[in-house]
Amino acid sequence: MSRVLVARLDSMGDVLLSGPALRAVANGSRRDGSRPNDVVLLCGPEGAGAAEMLPGVTQVHTWACPWIVNPAPPATEEMINSLIEFVRNSRIEEAVILTSFHQSPLPLALLLRLAGVRKITGASTDYAGSLLDVRLKPGEDFPEDQPEVIRALTIAEAGGYVLRDGDDGKLHITSGPEPEGATTLARELAEEGPYIVVHPGAAAPARAWPALHHAATVELLQAYGHKVVVTGGPGETSLTATVAGPSARNLGGGTNLRTLAAVLEGAAVVVTGNTGPAHLAAAVGTPVVCLFAPVVPAIRWAPYGVPMELLGDQEAACKNSRARRCPVPGHPCLSSVAPEQVVEAVERLLGGVSSLSTRRKVWKP
């Protein structure tokens, strides 16, 4: 059994989107009929929680990459050597570097080469020299406008790794262990009847639908007879209180990632932006109404593999700008979406789900 390092150094959502590729690497190589691999997932601090939940991952190592993490940590000799020593001591034989279109695998490939990794696979528009043994050329070997899941699977396959027979290639998380209280909360919510989750936060302001639009949507959903649960991180409690209002269930700041996954899994529909919880909802099989700002292409980063309604002007002036703060006054790509449109999208998804019991739940190998 080989030990293979797979790198995905950025956000929680990006790590979740790498899940099928990680399962492919864990499955082993179709070319030599090898046994399954031990997969060491190298990720950044923002992706560590998601990494711990992915099937096929044997070990997670967190490293704050100075050319990925924002704000960037200093690229000191100590922090560079810490990664090299980890790789050497971990007996890593091969590596697969997963990147998005705006990232290069070459800086990490150089460090892995210095650590003695003998085979490295990645996708690079730049000449890779001796840094990559298997190099895919984006735009030539595969199209850039495809889901990130497929991009990652393509890189893994170039390295010789494919999904096992019967794997659906969708996002999955493992079934546990659940943190104390997660199962109790999810059961409590389920016993109170079907509910809609509204997750208003986003890491980048350019990807956020206005708070008052969210609040109006919650009121409308309740007027339609839906129970609403509002979720958010520890730094979003003021936002979730505004959105939840006096009558929706406000879980802002009250869930870790495992608990959030359990809450999303029990939901009938999730309403959220282009943010990590959209991909977490997809990983537990829940339909998503996604308020998607076109600062990045929806074809690449929209929720993958679940019923979805995509809202937002995808041809707005901010298209493909990768802006973290909206460069257009008034944030028209999302502010132009009315709460009534979101409620209509929720109703369409509910009409398309014949039975919640038929939805995919958590990964069972």
Side-chain angles (χ1 to χ4, degrees):
M1 181 178 291
S2 299
R3 286 177 64 79
V4 182
L5 182 141
V6 179
R8 185 74 217 209
L9 291 165
D10 36 13
S11 72
M12 180 255 281
D14 293 307
V15 169
L16 289 170
L17 291 170
S18 301
L22 287 158
R23 300 198 304 269
V25 176
N27 181 50
S29 173
R30 69 178 182 183
R31 296 176 181 173
D32 60 13
S34 63
R35 295 175 296 172
N37 293 313
D38 276 339
V39 174
V40 178
L41 176 53
L42 178 67
C43 66
E46 290 186 359
E52 297 285 355
M53 300 195 298
L54 291 180
V57 175
T58 305
Q59 180 181 356
V60 174
H61 184 72
T62 304
W63 185 64
C65 177
W67 59 89
I68 297 289
V69 172
N70 187 11
T76 64
E77 182 178 2
E78 179 181 10
M79 69 98 64
I80 296 298
N81 285 339
S82 70
L83 177 63
I84 292 174
E85 288 304 311
F86 167 77
V87 174
R88 284 175 178 164
N89 294 336
S90 299
R91 298 176 289 107
I92 301 296
E93 300 172 15
E94 300 183 15
V96 177
I97 303 175
L98 302 179
T99 50
S100 296
F101 77 100
H102 56 87
Q103 299 166 339
S104 171
L106 301 185
L108 180 59
L110 175 60
L111 301 185
L112 296 177
R113 204 58 105 192
L114 293 175
V117 178
R118 60 179 179 82
K119 179 185 175 183
I120 305 174
T121 299
S124 177
T125 57
D126 299 316
Y127 173 65
S130 61
L131 296 183
L132 296 179
D133 299 284
V134 180
R135 174 197 172 196
L136 286 90
K137 299 177 183 178
E140 297 182 30
D141 295 325
F142 62 87
E144 283 287 25
D145 276 336
Q146 61 178 343
E148 282 288 288
V149 171
I150 303 302
R151 177 189 173 99
L153 278 168
T154 301
I155 295 172
E157 185 171 3
Y161 305 109
V162 293
L163 291 167
R164 66 176 173 83
D165 292 342
D167 192 315
D168 62 9
K170 296 182 181 180
L171 307 189
H172 294 284
I173 60 172
T174 57
S175 57
E178 299 288 354
E180 184 177 355
T183 303
T184 301
L185 175 59
R187 185 183 301 115
E188 174 192 332
L189 291 172
E191 288 174 352
E192 294 174 1
Y195 60 91
I196 309 296
V197 166
V198 174
H199 186 93
R207 302 182 185 186
W209 199 40
L212 295 182
H213 285 49
H214 275 105
T217 299
V218 169
E219 290 183 6
L220 283 171
L221 286 168
Q222 291 176 315
Y224 271 67
H226 298 297
K227 177 186 170 187
V228 180
V229 176
V230 179
T231 58
E236 298 172 332
T237 53
S238 177
L239 171 63
T240 59
T242 297
V243 172
S247 52
R249 179 73 176 267
N250 179 13
L251 297 181
T255 57
N256 58 26
L257 201 57
R258 273 285 181 193
T259 306
L260 178 61
V263 171
L264 297 179
E265 182 184 352
V269 175
V270 173
V271 177
T272 187
N274 176 23
T275 188
H279 304 301
L280 188 58
V284 295
T286 302
V288 179
V289 174
C290 190
L291 291 139
F292 199 100
V295 290
V296 294
I299 191 172
R300 301 178 192 175
W301 278 284
Y304 182 79
V306 292
M308 178 191 63
E309 289 277 339
L310 191 76
L311 301 179
D313 181 1
Q314 300 305 301
E315 298 302 321
C318 63
K319 180 179 179 180
N320 296 337
S321 66
R322 293 175 51 207
R324 293 186 62 81
R325 294 192 175 275
C326 183
V328 183
H331 198 20
C333 68
L334 290 183
S335 63
S336 61
V337 179
E340 290 82 1
Q341 292 175 271
V342 176
V343 175
E344 290 168 2
V346 168
E347 293 294 333
R348 286 194 295 271
L349 285 175
L350 291 174
V353 179
S354 59
S355 171
L356 293 181
S357 65
T358 65
R359 293 210 325 250
R360 182 176 75 256
K361 297 298 182 182
V362 294
W363 173 254
K364 292 181 174 59

